[in-house]
Amino acid sequence: MFTQNRHSLLIIFLALACFSCINKEITAENKNEDLINMLSISNFELRKEPLINPINGYIKYRNRDTILMYKENTKESECFLIDHKYVYISQTEKSPGWHLIISQDYEAEGYIFLNDISQKSFYGDLEENENSGNYYQYLQNTEYKVIEQHSNINRRGPLLAINHNGKTANFWDTHNGDIDGIKYLLLDYYPDNNELLVLQQYWEGSSMFIYNLNFNEYRCRDIDFPYFNDSRTYMLSFVFIEDIGLFSQYSLKLFEVTNSYYNEILNLSVNIINNNSLMEITWNSNNNAYINFGEQGSIILEIGENVNIINNMLSL
């Protein structure tokens, strides 16, 4: 009985020690040796499969390729390839551009230089993504096409970087696990207006926003894909809110655009039957927008001193 109790206490102690270690915050003061010792305790023999829990200060990154690793943070040191499905990456303050990496079984692997991460590692197989039917992979392909058209934009694993007027705007993923943090995707770039359309993805959902590169600030949040009139003085966006029974609720948002600032002047609630996938927004002129919902009807916006709404939608 005493032996069994001791064995049970040992299991509990190791489990608590493992939980404490993998959630300990990693700082620049941690030495590599201490880090390896701290993380290795999670590999005790009682665990049959690797745990996938967040490590504070580390970004969970899905690796779709092989990553080139270095034993020390210098290009001249020994390097090797790893192909773990998931790894954890941390920025290092002492060596800008270099990042410590940990595998999914919490073994400290070495260092990574972000410029060595291939595009395939982040995007995976683009042709498979195109045919997968997965919305996130579809958006990844959208970002890839935008980046291919502009040499000043780079994707290096969890880091999206846009060079603009000698400065760099960085969007760095902060996912520490499956539920905490934010991932970013670039969905459009408007170089003539110094603006980006960026998607924030987090556990509860996602949101798009307009980012101004000249001022390095968000100018418009909580939108979906934007529809500008020719003069770019107005912008429409059709934003999903929630599913309610047999229909979905959306917000039809209209913004007045002045000097790259977005002033919301209309927020109209619209209910759409769930199986209705048709929605087209057309600007007939700078002050007249036509929103077509197929058999369910249409909405026309006439913009003057006020916004006149002509609602031809079937009532639900």
Side-chain angles (χ1 to χ4, degrees), residues 47-60:
R47 197 185 71 220
K48 295 181 179 179
E49 297 180 359
L51 298 173
I52 304 296
N53 289 322
I55 304 176
N56 292 338
Y58 279 68
I59 296 165
K60 184 178 179 181

Side-chain angles (χ1 to χ4, degrees), residues 127-139:
E127 185 173 343
E128 288 183 7
N129 289 353
E130 192 76 35
N131 301 320
S132 69
N134 182 288
Y135 187 61
Y136 181 73
Q137 291 180 343
Y138 163 77
L139 294 179

Side-chain angles (χ1 to χ4, degrees), residues 113-305:
F113 193 65
L114 286 187
N115 286 337
D116 288 341
I117 297 180
S118 71
Q119 287 187 329
K120 182 179 179 181
S121 179
F122 179 78
Y123 296 109
D125 189 308
L126 291 166
E127 185 173 343
E128 288 183 7
N129 289 353
E130 192 76 35
N131 301 320
S132 69
N134 182 288
Y135 187 61
Y136 181 73
Q137 291 180 343
Y138 163 77
L139 294 179
Q140 279 188 318
N141 278 25
T142 301
E143 179 189 271
Y144 178 82
K145 292 173 183 177
V146 173
I147 290 177
E148 285 293 285
Q149 297 173 6
H150 303 281
S151 59
N152 61 319
I153 306 175
N154 288 292
R155 163 67 73 177
R156 299 299 180 187
L159 178 64
L160 173 68
I162 299 94
N163 297 319
H164 178 75
N165 291 339
K167 297 182 179 179
T168 302
N170 291 323
F171 295 90
W172 176 263
D173 289 349
T174 59
H175 264 231
N176 289 331
D178 290 327
I179 61 175
D180 295 323
I182 298 173
K183 290 182 179 179
Y184 296 93
L185 283 176
L186 176 64
L187 300 183
D188 212 341
Y189 174 41
Y190 314 106
D192 292 340
N193 303 95
N194 307 305
E195 290 179 335
L196 308 170
L197 176 65
V198 181
L199 174 77
Q200 284 183 344
Q201 187 188 41
Y202 37 90
W203 180 254
E204 296 87 354
S206 62
S207 177
M208 293 186 199
F209 57 84
I210 301 289
Y211 185 85
N212 188 286
L213 288 167
N214 281 343
F215 294 90
N216 293 318
E217 64 183 19
Y218 305 119
R219 288 289 174 85
C220 190
R221 285 183 175 273
D222 299 324
I223 61 171
D224 205 286
F225 283 98
Y227 295 83
F228 292 94
N229 63 354
D230 289 341
S231 62
R232 224 173 190 273
T233 51
Y234 293 102
M235 184 268 281
L236 273 169
S237 189
F238 194 63
V239 185
F240 172 79
I241 302 299
E242 61 179 339
D243 289 320
I244 305 174
L246 299 177
F247 61 89
S248 299
Q249 185 179 34
Y250 289 80
S251 284
L252 181 61
K253 297 184 178 184
L254 176 64
F255 297 85
E256 185 176 26
V257 186
T258 306
N259 297 325
S260 296
Y261 285 95
Y262 292 76
N263 178 36
E264 184 178 300
I265 59 176
L266 176 69
N267 191 331
L268 179 66
S269 180
V270 181
N271 294 330
I272 305 298
I273 298 173
N274 283 337
N275 61 3
N276 182 4
S277 59
L278 175 64
M279 192 281 299
E280 298 177 343
I281 294 179
T282 305
W283 285 95
N284 296 320
S285 69
N286 280 322
N287 296 81
N288 183 283
Y290 176 74
I291 303 96
N292 178 25
F293 297 98
E295 293 182 357
Q296 198 174 334
S298 63
I299 295 175
I300 300 173
L301 301 181
E302 297 176 342
I303 307 169
E305 291 186 4

Side-chain angles (χ1 to χ4, degrees), residues 86-105:
Y86 290 98
V87 294
Y88 286 93
I89 299 177
S90 173
Q91 298 185 49
T92 57
E93 296 177 11
K94 294 182 179 179
S95 304
W98 287 91
H99 302 79
L100 188 65
I101 193 167
I102 294 175
S103 64
Q104 63 184 8
D105 56 3

